Amino acid sequence: QPGAGKTRGSMMYAIQTLFARGAAVLYVGYKSKEMLLFLPNVEGTFRVWSTRSRDFEGTRLALDPRVVAVIDPPEEGPYTSMSKCRVLKFVSNNAEKHFRNWQKDGVLLVTSMPTVKEVVAMTSVLWNNETTPHPWQVGKLNTLEEKVAEVEKRIELIGPIIRQVFNSQLLLEAAHKSLSSAEDAAAKVFEKKKKKK
């Protein structure tokens, strides 16, 4: 299921593991166009800096072997991932580009959909004021409670699919697709009953 959170979940697990080891982590998000540097300190917390992901190639951090770069590549188009630092790349299961690659090691990992509670818990992090609310909701959903209520409604409509739930345009596309599929299925049932008569 595209958009269920496979790539994001895997990246977050890797980043949390690196944090637990006290590593300096450079998150390079080509989809979000954001680059974040997490530097650990003696108190067990992190100092964080941010800039644009397109600056990855020219940053000195990419040359530092002590840094681990966690890269979320774009769905399409060229991007930079070569560097002297250690690199972890998380490619999406694009059927045409990547999905066939599982045959190389003979292992196919199948995961369950995220639960409603898990998606709701992501609201404070994944809610984007530019892409999540519908145009008529801009400036109206300000508290976390209001955002959670909206997320719960969306989950009831299309299911706990992270990408669609937190992107209003993709949500509408998914809803229209579901409606169209339901109408087609109903039409087929109607035709069968009609032929029996």
Side-chain angles (χ1 to χ4, degrees):
Q1 171 64 58
K6 301 180 294 298
T7 305
R8 185 184 295 273
S10 300
M11 279 193 301
M12 291 306 104
Y13 178 82
I15 289 173
Q16 289 291 345
T17 301
L18 292 169
F19 282 172
R21 295 178 180 178
V25 177
L26 183 66
Y27 167 74
V28 185
Y30 283 102
K31 294 170 188 170
S32 63
K33 299 179 181 178
E34 185 176 34
M35 184 165 67
L36 301 170
L37 172 65
F38 298 86
L39 287 182
N41 56 39
V42 292
E43 288 83 18
T45 58
F46 290 82
R47 295 185 68 186
V48 184
W49 289 266
S50 67
T51 186
R52 301 164 300 184
S53 57
R54 68 184 184 187
D55 295 333
F56 173 66
E57 186 176 13
T59 180
R60 291 182 180 178
L61 297 168
L63 303 175
D64 193 330
R66 297 171 297 175
V67 172
V68 181
V70 177
I71 297 178
D72 183 14
E75 290 292 345
E76 297 179 353
Y79 65 96
T80 300
S81 62
M82 298 295 290
S83 68
K84 291 185 179 180
C85 70
R86 291 168 288 175
V87 173
L88 293 175
K89 280 200 295 186
F90 292 82
V91 296
S92 300
N93 273 345
N94 182 300
E96 296 180 358
K97 295 196 297 183
H98 306 301
F99 193 65
R100 65 181 182 276
N101 290 343
W102 75 273
Q103 297 175 354
K104 292 180 180 177
D105 58 14
V107 176
L108 176 63
L109 177 64
V110 180
T111 61
S112 61
M113 294 287 289
T115 66
V116 173
K117 287 185 178 180
E118 287 172 336
V119 177
V120 168
M122 299 175 192
T123 302
S124 62
V125 177
L126 298 185
W127 185 281
N128 183 311
N129 288 328
E130 294 182 7
T131 59
T132 303
H134 295 291
W136 61 88
Q137 293 176 322
V138 174
K140 295 181 180 179
L141 302 176
N142 299 312
T143 67
L144 181 59
E145 289 75 18
E146 291 171 331
K147 294 173 182 176
V148 165
E150 174 64 18
V151 166
E152 289 174 336
K153 289 178 185 177
R154 296 181 180 194
I155 292 172
E156 287 181 11
L157 181 64
I158 63 163
I161 307 172
I162 297 170
R163 188 176 300 162
Q164 282 89 333
V165 167
F166 291 101
N167 186 300
S168 61
Q169 182 178 347
L170 296 178
L171 172 74
L172 291 177
E173 291 174 3
H176 287 309
K177 189 174 181 180
S178 296
L179 179 60
S180 178
S181 297
E183 289 175 343
D184 290 343
K188 289 177 182 177
V189 171
F190 179 76
E191 285 297 322
K192 284 182 180 179
K193 288 184 177 180
K194 196 175 180 181
K195 288 179 181 178
K196 288 181 179 179
K197 291 182 180 180

